[in-house]
Amino acid sequence: MCWRVLRRIRDRNIWVIYATIVLLGIAYGTSIAVLAVHLDAHHIPELAMGGLAASFALGIVSFSIPAGWLVRRAGAKVTLIGALAGYAICVCTFPYLDTLVGLSVARFFDGAFSVGVWVAAETALLARSDRENKGLVMSLYAISLAIGYVIGPLVASGVARVWGTGAAFLVAGGLALAAIAVVVFALERKRQGTASADRDREVEAPRSTSGQIFWRTKTSCFATFSYGYFQASVVLFLPLYLIRAKQVPPDRTILVTAFFAAGMLAMSSWAGRLGDKHGHLLVMRVLGAIGGAMVASFVVLPSFPLMCAAVFVAGATLASISPVSLALQGVVTPAHDLERANAFYNAAYAAGMLVGPALSGLLFKRYGGAAMLFHLAALWACFVALTVVFAGDDPSAQRRQASLLLPR
């Protein structure tokens, strides 16, 4: 299977980007694993910690569109180098910050430089991948980042035990510098490969307006908005629901994240290949329906093992929507408009991160965790409905409809 994947992805630059993202993911996982401990040591209250998460999302929203402009003007390689360097500087300042204002500024630019990396990497991957491989390419991109998130906490645990939590942030910065070295020495600046001729022809075509790009990618943008909304909400409130409503011991709630990530790792590549074969929007619809049902089932599940199984399925479905939605975006967007499309996509993700926790927290406080979970399930139901209404957005659906009209 691995050999077949290698044969399908022939552009070595795609694998260079994967290596870069693995290193960045380890840096993310290392810094995030000790962030709460660092904040608590500096007596930052829980409410303010939520504000720092909002600062991170605000940085993403603010710099998503400029990141797309920068990728178009300077290229993906230069943008990657600059954004990785900015992230390294931000994360290395964390051990020396002890005020809420300083931490908020650092988290804002953490988000700003992170979205620069995402837009540049996603644009390069979509531009370099063949049309029939975009789902596979983007699912492996998501897996690369997830692998880093798995390894990062292990690194943080060892470093913090020996040198303290502050050293973990410096290690994260060092990993970002290693990622820069990979980009500088291994990534080609100009695109090459089977899709280059198509891109050259598309560059000659007139550029789309921002409104046309957003409308063309609306289902992908709503998918990532829903995932950002869902992800930011459940990270904060699902553990509280399990502790208060289901009497799950606090230390066991840590396993929830592991099961979610395991589901995502198990399913993402399959979801990507199914999308390439049967249509990305169709696969997203099925994943959203199953995942939304899993979220709603949390209210009635009687035991923690069953909840972990539901979390695994939710991770396998809902987390797998993200790379498939990116693949759909790459299929419906001309290559010369990918930078701006990816900027809109990441802005939608950050908008979900900003809105989700606020509304979910309000529902949780007033009506309880069950209402909060039902409203998240309703969000995914809205997404599924949108994929039905705009099923024609997927070229695969258009081809299937045309084939049904052909005389036999």
Side-chain angles (χ1 to χ4, degrees):
M1 175 181 167
C2 292
W3 176 244
R4 281 184 291 173
V5 170
L6 285 168
R7 290 181 62 185
R8 287 182 63 181
I9 303 177
R10 299 174 183 175
D11 190 337
R12 59 173 291 276
N13 294 281
I14 291 176
W15 296 100
V16 171
I17 294 172
Y18 289 159
T20 304
I21 295 302
V22 168
L23 287 170
L24 181 65
I26 297 174
Y28 282 158
T30 302
S31 61
I32 291 173
V34 298
L35 181 59
V37 177
H38 176 79
L39 296 176
D40 185 64
H42 287 83
H43 310 292
I44 303 298
E46 288 80 0
L47 184 62
M49 291 184 189
L52 290 177
S55 296
F56 178 78
L58 187 60
I60 298 175
V61 170
S62 300
F63 280 83
S64 292
I65 304 304
W69 179 88
L70 186 60
V71 170
R72 180 167 183 83
R73 294 294 187 274
K77 181 172 182 176
V78 172
T79 305
L80 270 174
I81 294 171
L84 286 167
Y87 170 77
I89 293 171
C90 282
V91 76
C92 285
T93 63
F94 261 79
Y96 310 104
L97 299 174
D98 54 7
T99 66
L100 185 58
V101 173
L103 290 166
S104 297
V105 171
R107 283 296 280 167
F108 175 85
F109 283 103
D110 186 351
F113 289 118
S114 290
V115 78
V117 175
W118 302 339
V119 171
E122 291 159 9
T123 300
L125 289 172
L126 288 172
R128 291 177 181 275
S129 57
D130 299 325
R131 187 183 185 90
E132 64 274 11
N133 280 344
K134 291 190 186 296
L136 174 62
V137 168
M138 299 316 297
S139 65
L140 292 178
Y141 164 74
I143 288 173
S144 299
L145 191 59
I147 289 173
Y149 274 113
V150 172
I151 297 174
L154 301 177
V155 174
S157 177
V159 171
R161 189 179 299 113
V162 178
W163 293 292
T165 57
F169 292 108
L170 300 180
V171 169
L175 288 165
L177 293 177
I180 292 174
V182 172
V183 174
V184 169
F185 295 109
L187 184 65
E188 295 174 4
R189 184 163 185 174
K190 293 184 179 294
R191 286 189 66 258
Q192 295 179 3
T194 57
S196 59
D198 294 334
R199 172 151 178 126
D200 291 340
R201 286 193 296 270
E202 288 176 348
V203 168
E204 299 173 0
R207 297 184 68 202
S208 304
T209 65
S210 295
Q212 289 172 329
I213 292 174
F214 180 78
W215 185 251
R216 189 181 295 128
T217 62
K218 58 186 175 295
T219 45
S220 290
C221 287
F222 190 74
T224 195
F225 170 85
S226 301
Y227 185 64
Y229 188 112
F230 168 78
Q231 183 186 47
S233 298
V234 297
V235 164
L236 290 175
F237 300 112
L238 183 58
L240 294 179
Y241 173 73
L242 293 177
I243 293 168
R244 296 177 184 178
K246 299 292 186 176
Q247 288 76 51
V248 175
D251 59 325
R252 297 188 71 188
T253 62
I254 299 172
L255 297 174
V256 171
T257 303
F259 277 99
F260 189 86
M264 181 265 183
L265 289 172
M267 186 61 187
S268 280
S269 65
W270 291 102
R273 280 179 284 176
L274 287 170
D276 289 334
K277 185 176 181 180
H278 299 291
H280 301 103
L281 198 55
L282 173 62
V283 171
M284 289 160 62
R285 184 182 310 138
V286 173
L287 293 174
I290 297 173
M294 287 298 103
V295 174
S297 74
F298 256 74
V299 179
V300 298
L301 289 175
S303 68
F304 185 65
L306 287 176
M307 294 176 200
C308 289
V311 168
F312 178 87
V313 176
T317 52
L318 300 179
S320 297
I321 287 176
S322 183
V324 180
S325 65
L326 268 171
L328 174 63
Q329 183 156 293
V331 169
V332 302
T333 305
H336 61 276
D337 287 327
L338 280 174
E339 300 89 351
R340 288 187 294 161
N342 288 333
F344 283 127
Y345 181 89
N346 282 283
Y349 173 70
M353 292 178 65
L354 278 172
V355 175
L359 292 182
S360 296
L362 182 63
L363 284 172
F364 191 96
K365 183 177 180 180
R366 290 191 177 182
Y367 305 106
M372 186 270 297
L373 288 171
F374 281 136
H375 113 280
L376 292 176
L379 173 69
W380 288 112
C382 290
F383 167 72
V384 171
L386 189 73
T387 66
V388 174
V389 173
F390 296 108
D393 284 3
D394 192 334
S396 295
Q398 298 169 12
R399 288 194 295 270
R400 283 196 301 271
Q401 187 175 14
S403 67
L404 293 174
L405 298 176
L406 291 175
R408 297 190 182 275

